[in-house]
């Protein structure tokens, strides 16, 4: 099998070393002689894994003691519902900072459970983050929701907003564990695992303890953070294999040098791509403002959105085993995702192809 370079936005590349570990332990987990797939979630074996994965999350992000770490089903979108169900009761209203398709979806879901104040003027051109001085924050909001990295539009926060004491809730699905984050500045951080930290089936939720115990009475137990915290994330049968994979990915991140190393590599990899775009005299075009350009998902167009040429680019890329580079169907074009598992060498291979394609067609 030739080497495949996977730039998919998610489910995304898992480090090769992690596959070796998973293969080894697949049908003999932790020396038990059986797979975790057929192990009781109430067993000591699973309790240990549950603790080990919580511990590595706490170490990597330096999570303070007054935050619970939860592993929940339902992915990122499960939490779009869980956030208002758990938090909106305080005032009945919440602030949503919509900077792309995913935060728009989160806001839409929240409207089912309370009043939603849109902090930014509505737009369908998500190409930056307006200066915080222009934001329409409601001091009465129960919380302020942001998506720290918009996977489709490639818009990433390079700052933590000042919400004047209102709890800040962040969807980090697509840049979780790509850099250090001061967890104490957030009320809640959540994300699906299938991009930077594992595989689909589990959402990682980090919640400050004082925000528990206020879920709406209609909140299903399975989405209730307080109920799940009390049950140590074993309320029902958890997505155990997804949690096993997440643990092995997080332990791999730790062995690589932790989040500082991931951040250094993300800057290096994304700069390689943005630099070719900038130096192409407009042949390639990145729509997002420089201060909000994502280091994880890099959408770009060719020419003035020349779809025929973009198709040719994607075909040529596939022939070189550079795969899953097609932009999301809502925006078209090309998108290179450079998550933690994607190596600098792989990005260099892509960049070489981008340069050759540009030279051939300009
Ligand atoms: N938030 C963001 C930023 C995402 O990129 C995604 C998935 N692409 C989601 C939420 C939804 O995640 P899930 O598919 O796990 O529900």
């Amino acid at each position: 099998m030739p080497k495949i370079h996977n730039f998919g936005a998610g489910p995304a590349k898992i480090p090769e070393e992690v596959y070796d570990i998973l293969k080894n332990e697949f049908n003999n987990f932790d020396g038990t002689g059986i797979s975790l797939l057929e192990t009781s979630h109430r067993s000591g074996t699973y309790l240990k894994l549950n603790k080990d994965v919580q511990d590595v999350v706490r170490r990597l992000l330096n999570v303070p003691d007054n935050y619970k770490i939860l592993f929940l089903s339902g992915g990122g979108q499960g939490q779009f519902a869980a956030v208002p169900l758990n938090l909106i009761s305080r005032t009945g209203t919440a602030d949503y900072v919509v900077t792309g398709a995913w935060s728009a979806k989160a806001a839409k879901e929240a409207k089912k459970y309370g009043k939603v104040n849109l902090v930014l003027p509505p737009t369908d051109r998500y190409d930056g983050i307006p200066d915080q001085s222009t934001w329409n924050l409601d001091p009465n909001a129960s919380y302020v929701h942001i998506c720290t990295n918009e996977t489709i539009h490639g818009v990433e926060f390079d700052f933590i907003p000042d919400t004047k004491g209102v709890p800040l809730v962040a969807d980090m699905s697509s840049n979780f564990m790509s850099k250090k984050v001061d967890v104490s500045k957030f009320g809640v951080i959540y994300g699906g695992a299938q991009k930077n930290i594992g595989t689909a089936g589990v959402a990682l939720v980090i919640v400050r303890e004082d925000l528990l115990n206020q879920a709406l009475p209609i909140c299903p137990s399975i989405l209730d953070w307080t109920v799940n915290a009390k049950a140590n994330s074993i309320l029902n049968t958890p997505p155990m294999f997804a949690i096993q994979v997440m643990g092995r990915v997080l332990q791999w991140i730790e062995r690589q040098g932790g989040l500082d190393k991931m951040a250094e590599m993300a800057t290096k990899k994304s700069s390689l791509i943005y630099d070719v775009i900038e130096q192409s005299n407009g042949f390639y075009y990145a729509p997002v403002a420089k201060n909000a350009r994502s280091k994880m998902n890099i959408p770009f167009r060719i020419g003035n959105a020349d779809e025929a040429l973009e198709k040719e680019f994607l075909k040529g890329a596939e022939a070189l085993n550079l795969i899953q580079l097609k932009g999301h169907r809502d925006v078209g074009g090309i998108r290179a995702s450079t998550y933690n598992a994607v190596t600098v060498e792989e990005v260099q291979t892509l960049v070489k192809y981008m340069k050759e394609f540009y030279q051939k067609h300009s």
Side-chain angles (χ1 to χ4, degrees):
M1 191 71 192
K3 182 147 174 43
I4 303 287
H5 306 296
N6 185 358
F7 293 94
K13 189 181 171 194
I14 303 273
E16 279 144 38
E17 195 181 308
V18 172
Y19 279 115
D20 291 338
I21 290 167
L22 291 171
K23 273 183 216 158
N24 272 330
E25 64 183 14
F26 187 65
N27 53 6
N28 179 10
F29 184 79
D30 207 11
T32 54
I34 58 168
S35 173
L36 192 72
L37 300 185
E38 50 185 275
T39 299
S40 163
H41 56 295
R42 308 277 173 204
S43 64
T45 307
Y46 183 68
L47 282 177
K48 180 176 178 307
L49 177 72
N50 189 40
K51 179 172 186 315
D52 286 350
V53 186
Q54 287 182 35
D55 287 350
V56 67
V57 171
R58 211 172 273 285
R59 285 196 302 274
L60 280 170
L61 277 173
N62 214 355
V63 178
D65 288 345
N66 61 327
Y67 285 74
K68 296 284 188 206
I69 294 168
L70 308 177
F71 307 135
L72 302 180
S73 304
Q77 292 202 47
Q79 295 307 307
F80 288 177
V83 168
L85 281 163
N86 281 278
L87 290 183
I88 210 164
S89 71
R90 196 168 57 83
T91 65
T93 175
D95 276 352
Y96 276 75
V97 185
V98 174
T99 53
W102 290 109
S103 44
K105 221 173 190 155
K108 194 170 168 208
E109 187 70 16
K111 276 187 196 149
K112 295 179 184 170
Y113 306 108
K115 189 172 164 291
V116 164
N117 170 51
L118 295 178
V119 171
L120 304 177
T123 176
D124 53 7
R125 271 184 71 89
Y126 299 115
D127 55 8
I129 300 174
D131 192 89
Q132 232 213 294
S133 61
T134 67
W135 290 17
N136 169 35
L137 288 169
D138 175 0
N140 191 42
S142 298
Y143 61 90
V144 178
H145 181 280
I146 62 171
C147 174
T148 52
N149 185 67
E150 285 285 353
T151 322
I152 296 174
H153 291 88
V155 174
E156 184 170 17
F157 276 79
D158 70 346
F159 64 99
I160 299 177
D162 176 8
T163 55
K164 310 260 183 290
V166 176
L168 179 61
V169 177
D171 173 3
M172 293 196 181
S173 294
S174 53
N175 67 352
F176 232 152
M177 306 286 180
S178 67
K179 58 184 170 186
K180 276 214 170 109
V181 166
D182 182 352
V183 174
S184 73
K185 296 264 187 332
F186 295 84
V188 182
I189 295 173
Y190 71 89
Q194 67 271 25
K195 293 152 200 304
N196 229 7
I197 56 172
T199 191
V202 62
L204 173 58
V205 180
I206 303 172
V207 53
R208 209 172 63 212
E209 283 169 357
D210 65 287
L211 297 174
L212 297 174
N213 295 307
Q214 50 177 308
L216 290 170
I218 59 158
C219 181
S221 301
I222 202 74
L223 291 179
D224 187 320
W225 298 331
T226 311
V227 172
N228 282 282
K230 279 196 190 125
N232 192 20
S233 296
I234 317 179
L235 177 68
N236 69 331
T237 318
M240 294 158 69
F241 184 63
I243 292 164
Q244 177 184 352
V245 176
M246 182 165 74
R248 299 310 176 229
V249 170
L250 296 176
Q251 287 158 351
W252 172 85
I253 292 174
E254 202 167 40
R255 286 195 301 279
Q256 301 306 299
L259 299 188
D260 281 338
K261 184 71 182 173
M262 293 302 115
E264 183 196 320
M265 300 312 268
T267 301
K268 198 167 175 177
K269 290 180 287 184
S270 56
S271 303
L272 278 167
I273 298 174
Y274 285 120
D275 284 353
V276 189
I277 294 171
E278 289 306 309
Q279 289 156 14
S280 71
N281 294 316
F283 179 79
Y284 295 117
Y285 170 71
V288 178
K290 283 197 176 141
N291 66 351
R293 283 185 178 171
S294 171
K295 293 181 178 172
M296 296 283 107
N297 310 100
I298 305 170
F300 61 92
R301 305 294 314 227
I302 297 183
N304 196 11
D306 182 336
E307 285 180 15
L309 210 49
E310 287 172 347
K311 220 170 159 183
E312 193 182 328
F313 177 95
L314 291 168
K315 207 168 147 215
E318 292 235 342
L320 295 171
N321 296 317
L322 302 162
I323 69 157
Q324 303 211 76
L325 280 161
K326 195 167 190 282
H328 188 275
R329 61 187 184 281
D330 288 353
V331 294
I334 296 152
R335 170 177 55 174
S337 296
T338 51
Y339 296 122
N340 291 344
V342 175
T343 64
V344 174
E345 293 72 31
E346 288 181 303
V347 173
Q348 280 164 339
T349 308
L350 170 63
V351 159
K352 184 166 171 282
Y353 170 64
M354 286 174 72
K355 283 184 186 159
E356 285 166 4
F357 191 85
Y358 157 53
Q359 275 151 11
K360 190 169 154 201
H361 291 279
S362 60

